[in-house]
Amino acid sequence: MQNNDYIYNKIEDCLSACALLAAKHPQLTHIHAAIENVRKRMTEPMQLAIVGRISSSKSTLVNAILGKPEVVRTGHEAETFNVSWLKYGNDKSPITVHFKDGNKVNVPHEQWAQWASHAGEESLKTKVAYIEVATSDEMLKHINIIDTPGLDATSKVDSENTKQFLKQVNPDAVVFLFTKSLTEDSLKLINEFQMSDVSNSYCITPLNSLGVLSKPDLNWSVINRIDVVEVSSTAISRTLTSREDVRRALFRILPVSALMGLASANISGEDFNTFKSLCELLDDKNMLRLFVNADAFIRGTKEIAVPPLQRKKLLEKYGLYGSYVCMEALRSNPETSNEQLSTILGAKSGFTTFMTLLRSHFGDRSSILKAQRGVLRMLEACNQDRQRTCDSFLIDAIDKIKSHVLSVMDEMHDIKEMSLLMSIYEGKVRVDDEFTEELKRVCGEYGYGIVDRLNASSETSISDLVSIAQKQQAFWSKKYNAMRFISEPKAAPYDIIAKSYKLIAERIVSQQRDYEQAQKSIAIYKRYIFGKDKI
């Protein structure tokens, strides 16, 4: 977990110094704009965009993340035609429609669905930039969610609206949804987003992108009765083995049934009782017959007292596989509670794993990712203004601003780590796979705990953790010293990872010292309050 206050304060101090230097030079338009942009972004919630082709469960996934079935309208056909930006606020407050010409208009919240689908007016396709929607979900205080139209929507305008929005807004993270299987057509989606390195472009890397193989439950049948997450994960691994372009773009691809994930958070008492009734009414033979297909589930097995309409509602909410998972859980253990069933359904859908990764990979380190991107944005602005002038006074001001920005990078080693990792993902820095894996681990790609970053066990002692960090620091320092006489740029990555281990060792010692001091303070408090030590 990052120290957010420390990161925010360091970036704000840097921006204030840069603003002071640029104040006398209004000609430095890129720098002025970058200062305001970075300052604003550092204080905003993380921005997560959901992107995919038509009918890939994007809106269902948004609802599942928020745990509510009716936040975003869903259906069998394309429902979303304009970008919807969900932020924390009053559910009943008006939505704000932002137009591409800079104008905006407030309309009643109830009209959101109409505006999201152009309110029936084709002319709005080219006019609306995005729709801002307030929703009172606690998660939106920390993560804004952006629901986008399908990239292969019937109208090419809708697809272009999504791409232009992502390039201009540059969200902190993107989840790409692929449908049914990782076909060449689906994987092409990634390459469509690998834009050039120019101002306001958007380039996806494993630092800001996750993949989701949606609707894996559609591959299930009562005959094979596979664990769809397990089987799909194996298929994904096989595909990624031969796809370096995908590995360099997405941190991971997870199989996720958004429908089941959403249902897991909304198991009603009526649903629970209906599943229990079905379990009590069906023997093994009729259970198999019920799950042959959707039609059999609704209309088949006449002996079932549960009405077809009631079964249809279950099918629409849980899907065939989800309904099977719920009934199997209740058949295996009739004492299963509603809460336990929710946990089982979340795990079997792949949604629990997805949410855990979403929080750890993006949410837990959103501040350092925003800081790293802010530094890059400021450096880009300096270069842009430098190219536009030959004025020595302006050049001097730009150099001083750039120096301030670079000093922050030197002081905040986490930013150096993130920048190096991004350069490796983008192919700008060439290192072997062993180094990349170790850097990813040290940077927290596989967990933020020190035991994760040092690839140690939870039973490892503090002194041994320090020893591991110091040993790795010495190893990479030796590599750096051997290489720097040949090529300083090629040696630089080794210096960064060596310093990462040095800082880890120092922080372990510091945290241990703080912990011991805290224990003493607790003992003093207990003696003061109770007159003796108490546990």
Side-chain angles (χ1 to χ4, degrees):
M1 182 72 70
Q2 300 295 333
N3 184 335
N4 291 341
D5 289 340
Y6 171 77
I7 293 170
Y8 292 147
N9 290 338
K10 292 296 291 184
I11 294 297
E12 178 55 36
D13 289 346
C14 173
L15 293 175
S16 296
C18 292
L20 191 62
L21 287 166
K24 296 180 180 179
H25 306 290
Q27 307 96 312
L28 303 179
T29 55
H30 287 97
I31 289 175
H32 284 289
I35 290 170
E36 293 309 310
N37 176 265
V38 174
R39 180 172 277 151
K40 181 172 179 286
R41 289 294 289 269
M42 285 299 298
T43 59
E44 290 177 336
M46 189 186 87
Q47 298 167 4
L48 173 68
I50 310 297
V51 177
R53 298 200 185 280
I54 191 172
S55 300
S56 59
S57 294
K58 295 185 302 298
S59 296
T60 303
L61 183 62
V62 172
N63 289 337
I65 292 171
L66 297 176
K68 299 176 183 178
E70 298 297 334
V71 179
V72 181
R73 190 175 69 174
T74 61
H76 296 295
E77 301 299 329
E79 293 283 357
T80 304
F81 294 94
N82 278 322
V83 174
S84 289
W85 190 335
L86 280 66
K87 300 182 178 182
Y88 180 79
N90 190 323
D91 289 312
K92 296 181 180 179
S93 61
I95 63 171
T96 304
V97 181
H98 294 258
F99 294 94
K100 294 178 181 179
D101 62 6
N103 291 320
K104 57 185 179 181
V105 61
N106 291 330
V107 298
H109 196 283
E110 296 75 20
Q111 295 182 18
W112 174 20
Q114 293 172 266
W115 279 90
S117 57
H118 305 140
E121 297 182 29
E122 289 293 308
S123 62
L124 291 176
K125 290 183 179 183
T126 57
K127 295 179 180 179
V128 176
Y130 66 94
I131 302 170
E132 186 177 331
V133 185
T135 302
S136 60
D137 188 281
E138 288 295 310
M139 176 173 281
L140 293 174
K141 288 182 177 180
H142 311 287
I143 301 177
N144 287 174
I145 299 179
I146 301 166
D147 186 32
T148 65
L151 288 173
D152 55 354
T154 305
S155 167
K156 291 185 178 180
V157 176
D158 299 321
S159 183
E160 284 304 312
N161 281 348
T162 296
K163 293 179 182 179
Q164 288 302 316
F165 178 85
L166 292 177
K167 288 173 69 177
Q168 291 167 8
V169 173
N170 207 343
D172 300 302
V174 176
V175 172
F176 282 88
L177 270 68
F178 308 106
T179 55
K180 296 184 181 179
S181 64
L182 294 176
T183 60
E184 285 300 314
D185 182 57
S186 296
L187 294 174
K188 183 183 176 184
L189 193 64
I190 294 171
N191 294 321
E192 289 177 2
F193 272 85
Q194 296 298 39
M195 304 297 183
S196 59
D197 262 341
V198 296
S199 178
N200 291 327
S201 68
Y202 193 80
C203 183
I204 63 172
T205 75
L207 288 178
N208 62 19
S209 304
L210 285 177
V212 164
L213 177 59
S214 69
K215 305 181 182 180
D217 49 307
L218 296 183
N219 295 322
W220 179 85
S221 77
V222 73
I223 297 174
N224 59 37
R225 279 182 278 187
I226 59 173
D227 183 316
V228 297
V229 169
E230 184 178 326
V231 171
S232 297
S233 295
T234 301
I236 290 169
S237 297
R238 284 200 302 268
T239 301
L240 295 185
T241 300
S242 60
R243 295 296 306 227
E244 185 177 356
D245 56 339
V246 180
R247 295 197 305 273
R248 286 191 172 276
L250 302 177
F251 176 66
R252 198 173 299 171
I253 299 178
L254 300 174
V256 179
S257 169
L259 181 71
M260 290 170 60
L262 175 59
S264 70
N266 296 278
I267 302 176
S268 68
E270 182 183 355
D271 295 342
F272 187 80
N273 292 332
T274 302
F275 280 132
K276 290 205 74 168
S277 297
L278 286 169
C279 289
E280 292 165 0
L281 292 166
L282 295 172
D283 56 19
D284 290 344
K285 186 176 181 180
N286 281 324
M287 175 81 166
L288 292 176
R289 287 178 177 174
L290 185 71
F291 284 96
V292 168
N293 53 43
D295 188 63
F297 187 85
I298 297 172
R299 298 184 178 85
T301 317
K302 296 179 181 178
E303 297 82 3
I304 299 176
V306 177
L309 183 60
Q310 205 166 339
R311 280 180 266 160
K312 182 180 180 182
K313 288 180 179 178
L314 290 179
L315 192 66
E316 291 173 346
K317 182 174 178 179
Y318 296 84
L320 196 63
Y321 178 57
S323 298
Y324 180 84
V325 166
C326 290
M327 289 182 61
E328 274 295 286
L330 291 168
R331 278 162 59 89
S332 300
N333 179 14
E335 301 302 315
T336 299
S337 67
N338 191 309
E339 291 74 17
Q340 290 170 329
L341 189 60
S342 174
T343 300
I344 293 168
L345 191 60
K348 288 291 186 180
S349 67
F351 184 71
T352 301
T353 301
F354 167 75
M355 287 301 294
T356 300
L357 188 59
L358 187 69
R359 291 189 182 99
S360 64
H361 188 62
F362 295 141
D364 286 351
R365 61 177 184 179
S366 60
S367 57
I368 192 62
L369 285 173
K370 286 190 283 187
Q372 183 256 354
R373 289 173 59 174
V375 166
L376 295 180
R377 178 71 186 90
M378 286 298 299
L379 293 176
E380 180 186 47
C382 287
N383 292 336
Q384 288 172 326
D385 281 332
R386 175 65 180 83
Q387 292 170 4
R388 296 171 54 195
T389 183
C390 296
D391 187 310
S392 59
F393 289 105
L394 287 180
I395 292 172
D396 182 59
I398 293 169
D399 288 343
K400 287 179 180 177
I401 291 169
K402 192 171 184 178
S403 178
H404 271 288
V405 176
L406 291 173
S407 69
V408 169
M409 185 178 285
D410 285 334
E411 291 175 22
M412 297 177 65
H413 187 74
D414 289 344
I415 294 182
K416 271 193 172 181
E417 289 178 338
M418 289 295 104
S419 296
L420 173 58
L421 194 54
M422 179 174 282
S423 295
I424 292 172
Y425 282 140
E426 292 176 346
K428 296 176 183 177
V429 172
R430 299 289 181 182
V431 290
D432 59 40
D433 291 342
E434 181 182 356
F435 176 90
T436 300
E437 283 302 303
E438 189 159 345
L439 179 66
K440 285 163 67 175
R441 188 175 298 282
V442 170
C443 288
E445 291 281 76
Y446 304 126
Y448 263 100
I450 289 299
V451 293
D452 296 316
R453 296 171 76 163
L454 294 179
N455 200 23
S457 71
S458 56
E459 290 78 28
T460 308
S461 67
I462 294 298
S463 59
D464 284 344
L465 288 173
V466 173
S467 178
I468 292 170
Q470 291 175 336
K471 181 180 177 182
Q472 290 304 104
Q473 177 197 345
F475 173 81
W476 290 111
S477 292
K478 186 176 179 181
K479 280 259 196 182
Y480 167 69
N481 288 325
M483 179 65 73
R484 68 191 179 99
F485 295 107
I486 302 172
S487 170
E488 182 64 42
K490 290 183 178 180
Y494 304 133
D495 185 41
I496 290 174
I497 197 171
K499 288 180 180 176
S500 296
Y501 281 114
K502 179 176 182 290
L503 285 173
I504 286 176
E506 291 174 353
R507 288 170 182 172
I508 293 173
V509 172
S510 174
Q511 289 292 317
Q512 176 68 7
R513 187 166 52 245
D514 291 346
Y515 173 79
E516 291 171 352
Q517 184 58 49
Q519 292 292 89
K520 291 178 182 178
S521 297
I522 291 171
I524 293 170
Y525 164 80
K526 288 179 177 178
R527 284 195 295 271
Y528 178 73
I529 299 296
F530 302 108
K532 60 180 180 178
D533 290 347
K534 281 187 177 291
I535 297 176

